[in-house]
């Protein structure tokens, strides 16, 4: 990846990066507030801000209020100063977005992925990126870098996907391959961690030094931020709450164990269970929800069981890391109203002591948000390359 100064972003000192990050994630804010929030002196803030104003990465909002003495003139990041591409790779589709510097999505494109082999994915990403860059004449000159999010064991620093079971990949130098195919500096990240970065800088995690993001889909994932850092895990694995034991005699899990949270509440596992209950191997999620809402008690019980497993997973997160808040998200939450009571009851019963005070936030998640997460990683890498 290029460093900030190579693309004209004047972050010549760690203090400058801290000031810029603070205004980016919490702005608009005055210099006084930046100094207070960062612990830097007013002189240090002024020194960091000047070149950022000159390069037009920061702007001053004219302050309309009447002040006694000097006007505050809050600073904000100019959204159009830079653009970023984010791509999420799924087993059958590529989803791409262009975001501005404040991670606001400007363009979205989907592209079917008939073949998850590495070479086909690289070609698909190159085509998708080319189409995205054609969406606005601004993009070709202003897109700085590309982030790619992939499920599995991903090493962001090395730019490699060690293992991705959904894609059948082993040890792929993805950042390098994508960079050569697109001509853009590229960073790769695990998809749940990418989404966590988006929440940390631009979402429900702003201002929280520790929080967790739990995603419920086919897999159940968890991104953790502790003391302002996204936890990577020494071996590339962390936050695998999908494989916490929920029921000792529960269903078999694809990981080889029995009764994991994911084997009960993961979207595919829950669908299989509801089909078995209904005796209908083609029952769709929509049909299952409709039957539960119509009062089918056996189907309802299937959902409640999933809710208890999710509640246990959330309590485990709260007990282990004590986050200020847990954001619960993912496409598997379409049926949330059918098991919310069980999620909350189990969480309250299993969270130890004050951990129960942890705030639970439900966040519906359009699939494009995963791609936006990848773009957020590209933004973060440009500003703070050495994390
Ligand atoms: Zn498992």
């Amino acid at each position: 990846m290029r460093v900030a100064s190579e693309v004209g972003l004047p972050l010549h000192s760690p203090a400058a990066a801290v000031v810029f990050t603070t205004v980016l994630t919490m702005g608009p804010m005055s210099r006084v507030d930046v100094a207070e929030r960062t612990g830097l002196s007013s002189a240090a803030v002024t020194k960091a801000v000047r070149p950022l104003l000159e390069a037009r990465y920061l702007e001053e909002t004219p302050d309309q209020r009447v002040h006694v003495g000097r006007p505050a003139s809050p600073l904000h990041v100019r959204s159009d100063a830079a653009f970023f591409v984010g791509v999420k790779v799924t087993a059958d589709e590529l989803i791409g977005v262009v975001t501005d510097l404040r991670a606001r999505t400007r363009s979205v494109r989907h592209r079917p992925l008939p073949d998850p082999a590495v070479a086909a994915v690289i070609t698909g990403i190159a085509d998708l990126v080319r189409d995205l860059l054609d969406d606005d004449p601004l993009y070709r000159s202003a897109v700085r870098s590309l982030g790619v999010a992939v499920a599995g064991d991903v090493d962001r620093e090395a730019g490699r996907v060690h293992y991705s079971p959904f894609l059948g990949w082993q040890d792929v130098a993805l950042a390098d391959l994508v960079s050569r195919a697109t001509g853009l500096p590229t960073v790769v990240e695990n998809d749940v961690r990418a989404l966590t970065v988006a929440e940390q800088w631009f979402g429900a995690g702003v201002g929280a030094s520790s929080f967790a993001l739990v995603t419920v889909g086919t897999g159940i994932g968890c991104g953790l931020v502790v003391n302002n850092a996204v936890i990577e895990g020494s071996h590339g694995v962390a936050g695998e709450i999908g494989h916490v034991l929920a029921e000792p005699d529960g269903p078999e899990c694809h990981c080889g164990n029995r009764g994991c949270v994911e084997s009960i509440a993961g979207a595919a596992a829950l669908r299989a269970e509801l089909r078995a209950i209904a005796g209908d191997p083609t029952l769709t999620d929509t049909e299952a929800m409709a039957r539960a809402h119509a009062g089918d008690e056996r189907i309802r019980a299937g959902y409640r069981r999933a809710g208890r497993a999710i509640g246990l997973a959330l309590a485990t997160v709260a007990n282990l890391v004590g986050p200020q808040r847990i954001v619960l998200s993912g496409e598997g939450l379409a049926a949330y109203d059918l098991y919310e009571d069980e999620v909350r009851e189990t969480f309250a019963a299993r969270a130890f002591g004050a951990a129960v005070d942890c705030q639970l936030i439900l966040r519906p998640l359009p699939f494009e948000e995963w791609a936006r997460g990848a773009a957020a990683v590209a933004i973060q890498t440009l500003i703070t390359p050495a994390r």
Side-chain angles (χ1 to χ4, degrees):
M1 290 289 289
R2 285 181 287 191
V3 295
S5 57
E6 287 175 50
V7 293
L9 177 56
L11 301 177
H12 302 305
S13 65
V18 168
V19 167
F20 188 68
T21 306
T22 304
V23 178
L24 176 63
T25 57
M26 298 175 162
M29 64 202 297
S30 68
R31 288 170 176 76
V32 174
D33 289 342
V34 173
E36 205 163 278
R37 172 64 72 167
T38 58
L40 293 164
S41 68
S42 319
V45 172
T46 300
K47 189 176 169 211
V49 162
R50 195 177 302 123
L52 287 164
L53 283 170
E54 281 165 8
R56 300 200 58 230
Y57 278 90
L58 289 183
E59 284 180 332
E60 282 175 292
T61 317
D63 197 338
Q64 306 300 332
R65 290 168 298 173
V66 178
H67 284 270
V68 178
R70 234 161 58 139
S73 294
L75 298 162
H76 66 92
V77 168
R78 194 168 68 86
S79 307
D80 286 4
F83 292 89
F84 300 84
V85 179
V87 175
K88 153 86 169 164
V89 183
T90 76
D92 56 7
E93 190 184 35
L94 297 171
I95 304 156
V97 299
V98 175
T99 77
D100 61 28
L101 183 52
R102 288 157 78 176
R104 292 189 295 206
T105 301
R106 298 292 194 95
S107 297
V108 181
R109 280 181 180 267
H110 293 244
R111 192 179 182 89
L113 188 64
D115 176 7
V118 175
V121 171
I122 302 298
T123 308
I125 291 176
D127 292 345
L128 177 69
V129 170
R130 193 195 51 232
D131 290 348
L132 280 165
L133 294 184
D134 284 342
D135 279 346
D136 191 309
L138 258 181
Y139 292 162
R140 283 209 181 267
S141 58
V143 165
R144 296 285 188 255
S145 56
L146 165 62
V148 182
V150 179
D153 177 357
V154 179
D155 186 337
R156 174 163 156 184
E157 297 300 322
R160 299 183 88 86
V161 177
H162 291 310
Y163 175 53
S164 183
F166 292 106
L167 296 166
W169 289 5
Q170 292 250 356
D171 201 27
V172 177
L174 188 64
D176 218 30
L177 292 168
V178 172
S179 183
R180 268 188 271 156
T182 60
L184 287 170
T186 302
V187 59
V188 298
E189 182 55 289
N190 164 274
D191 58 352
V192 176
R193 279 202 298 268
L195 207 52
T196 306
V197 166
E199 287 293 323
Q200 180 192 19
W201 274 36
F202 305 105
V206 172
S209 63
S210 67
F211 79 97
L213 171 77
V214 172
T215 59
V216 180
T218 301
I220 293 182
C222 175
L224 294 169
V225 171
V226 177
N227 297 337
N228 296 310
V230 177
I231 303 299
E232 303 267 346
S234 306
H235 310 285
V237 173
E240 283 294 340
I241 56 160
H243 301 283
V244 163
L245 179 66
E247 296 180 15
D249 300 317
E252 272 179 32
C253 182
H254 62 87
C255 74
N257 292 298
R258 204 169 253 292
C260 296
V261 169
E262 192 168 302
S263 75
I264 296 162
L270 178 58
R271 189 178 307 125
E273 171 68 6
L274 296 175
R275 283 174 175 178
I277 290 173
D280 176 357
T282 62
L283 185 76
T284 66
D285 295 352
T286 313
E287 288 164 354
M289 282 187 270
R291 285 174 68 159
H293 281 127
D296 185 325
E297 265 312 309
R298 293 173 62 228
I299 298 280
R300 290 191 79 110
Y303 282 115
R304 285 198 288 265
R305 182 184 183 194
R308 286 191 292 275
I310 293 169
L312 172 77
L314 299 179
T316 304
V317 173
N319 290 347
L320 280 177
V321 296
Q324 283 164 263
R325 29 191 113 111
I326 300 178
V327 179
L328 183 59
S329 199
E331 67 277 13
L333 295 180
Y336 189 69
D337 64 306
L338 287 164
Y339 53 64
E340 178 173 7
D341 289 351
E342 284 70 23
V343 170
R344 293 196 179 273
E345 281 163 23
T346 310
F347 179 77
R350 302 298 292 260
F352 180 76
V356 78
D357 295 335
C358 170
Q359 187 187 7
L360 291 183
I361 299 171
L362 187 71
R363 166 77 65 99
L365 184 79
F367 233 102
E368 289 86 29
E369 289 296 296
W370 293 94
R372 177 175 171 262
V377 172
I379 296 170
Q380 191 180 65
T381 305
L382 182 70
I383 297 165
T384 51
R387 286 170 306 131

